[in-house]
Amino acid sequence: MNQTPLGAIVIGRAPGPELHVLPVGATVQRLLVTCGDGVRRDLVLGLADGDAVRSGTDYVGSIVGRYANRIAHGRFVLDGAQHELPVNDRGHHLHGGPDGFHTRTWDVVEHTADELALELVSPDGDAGYPGQLTVRATYRVEGDIVHLDIAATTTAPTIVNLTSHAYFNLHGAGTIDDHRLRVDASRYTPVDEESIPTGGHARVEGTPFDLRAPTRLGDVVRADHPQVRDSRGIDHNLVLDGTGWRTVAVLDGPITRTRMELWSNQPGLQVYTGNFLAGTATDHAGRMLRQGDGLCLEPQLAPDAPNRGSADGTMDPDWPSAVLRPGETYVNRMAWLFSSLA
């Protein structure tokens, strides 16, 4: 097995992407890419090792779940039964709770030069969730693309929302202020002061969430808008246009002349501008991680969807169901495609 001294497993090779993954949290630790200016750089934030991932609070690079994002008050009802989850964010359940999937050591079930599959079995009742959930995360490098497929099955009805919490910085250092982001989303999900949805989705016109044309992130996070002020930047679900496998976002790093396209099959994209990176954690090179050092683009379902929709989607089709039943397979597919800016 190709493994670094820090315990990461490596797939891919120069001149294409080279991905380093830690088994704890199935975590992306490094992503080396030849940038548009010809210089090879690490384009993600990454922690030193599995212990740092397990003890961290910023989910740096990890797969989060069972439910990525927030569930209000740590409660949901499924098939008439109420389930209680641990709360870890202002009285709410975030990213699977304090002992979520980001803290677990995933089993390596397949490893080749260009592909790595890791598996995690979450027992019935884990963190209050019903059903034994078996999850497989498969990373694959193909040309200039890094694919990530996350699949899950269950032994009993449950809720599932899994995603990657990778932080990108296409300049390899400094802040993301000069990055330009486009997201194909005509609506976003307003939230209250505790990041819980206030109701339905809102149009992006006239707000900092209108990212349908490339927009400088430094201008967005400093916009005079109550949603941005309360969240210290952007930490919101954008309701993606279209359905199926498609390009949903494009991130440009003009200094290194590097572009990353994000492909997804999900209905939503949580855009998080690293608002709560407070310098309390250091990366694998010993550098403090500070606010605005990285951008998370997290394809997923909407926050608190189990309390907004219904199992069959008839309550509110704007909130796609998070319910997974025996015999079904949950699949979240995403891909990061790197290219040069003209």
Side-chain angles (χ1 to χ4, degrees), residues 66-67 69-75 85-89 91-98 127 129:
R66 277 190 197 191
Y67 198 91
N69 220 311
R70 293 166 179 87
I71 295 179
H73 310 295
R75 296 193 294 268
L85 312 173
V87 295
N88 59 324
D89 181 55
H92 307 291
H93 181 79
L94 173 65
H95 293 332
Y129 289 94

Side-chain angles (χ1 to χ4, degrees), residues 273-285:
T273 51
N275 315 336
F276 297 99
L277 293 173
T280 56
T282 56
D283 69 6
H284 52 75

